[in-house]
Amino acid sequence: MRAGLLDGQETARAIREELKFEVAEILKSKGIVPKLAAVLVGDDPASDAYVSMKGKACKWVGVESETFRLPKDSTQEEVESLIDRLNADRTVSGVLIQHPVPKHLDEMAILARLEVEKDVDGISRNSLGSLITGRKAFKSCTPLGIIELLQRYKVAIEGKHAVVIGRSIILGKPMAHLLLDLNATVTICHSRTIDLGSFTRQADILVAAVGRPELITGNMIKPGAVVVDAGYNRVAGRSGDIGDVEFESASKVASLITPVPGGVGPMTIAMLLRNTIEAANQFGNGVLVEN
Ligand code: NAP
């Protein structure tokens, strides 16, 4: 039997409908419209495309958005002074610093400069520290979107063995912590893991967050497992984005699986919107609307 789809596209669409309603409620109760400020340093076309996609998503739900562009040779001080300005700006509910920034800049220091209440991407060290220590802060959007997707499909997490492949700060590590907080037993694999398949074959829930096209094949998956593919890879000679999981063979073994595209990607954007709206609601920052 073929696996069912964990449809991120459809789930994100449903979430956007709910968010539209929340935006209207905030306008009614607080007289403000949530606003996302995106900071884009340099001229990387992929980053440019992501930021414009996020801007469009804001529009769908009635969130304002503005992109602040800085040249690729900007200094650390110039970027940090923009962050200071956005921290102080009461019309800005949340700030997204588009990753990656040019290599000469200290990205973690830039993120750390951002007020934790405005870190709607949830990836500054303050936000990540809060995640690990159980304090309230916005959670990293991609792992949060994966959890939301699993929960909306009623995938049981407690007591299950979750295996996360990848230990990056934006994805693998927060993913493992979110699963741990929901009482999964978690194994983290990485590039130095010996015999990856021996771990993945034990997973009730397998999250691939690697960045290696089709690294995970059907014979590495436990029959009936739930498989989440966060990977987005470009492969010469093939069109579109390719996941970290070989979909054809994996979907013959798994019970549920995310497609690429249309799985984790739309959920990440939905969570960015949700965090921005929550920031406006909680902290009262947003664009004032005259009655
Ligand atoms: P990253 O920072 O490059 O981290 C990749 C992780 O995979 C590292 O921890 C690395 O291990 C591990 N790894 C690499 N090769 C491996 C192998 N052969 N076996 C086991 N582990 C291996 O990447 P990332 O930023 O976490 O992103 C991972 C993927 O998710 C990429 O395809 C990216 O495009 C995608 N992504 C998607 C979204 C979304 O919205 N859907 C958001 C972010 C990222 P070491 O630590 O040992 O190097």
Side-chain angles (χ1 to χ4, degrees), residues 99 142 165-168 170-172 189-193 196 208-212 215 230-233 244 264-265 268:
H99 168 84
T142 303
I165 319 166
R167 56 176 166 180
S168 72
I170 61 159
L171 193 51
C189 300
H190 46 78
S191 68
R192 315 291 168 90
T193 297
L196 183 62
V210 194
R212 299 278 179 275
L215 175 75
Y232 272 94
N233 309 290
D244 289 343
V264 174
T268 300

Side-chain angles (χ1 to χ4, degrees), residues 181-193:
D181 282 351
L182 292 167
N183 300 318
T185 300
V186 181
T187 300
I188 306 176
C189 300
H190 46 78
S191 68
R192 315 291 168 90
T193 297

Side-chain angles (χ1 to χ4, degrees), residues 32-43:
I32 57 169
V33 173
K35 176 174 171 178
L36 175 70
V39 175
L40 187 54
V41 189
D43 46 18

Side-chain angles (χ1 to χ4, degrees), residues 16 19 54 57-58 61 269-277:
R16 283 201 301 269
L19 294 178
K54 287 164 186 169
C58 283
V61 296
I269 297 181
M271 293 302 102
L272 178 68
L273 298 175
R274 194 169 83 180
N275 282 350
T276 305
I277 294 164

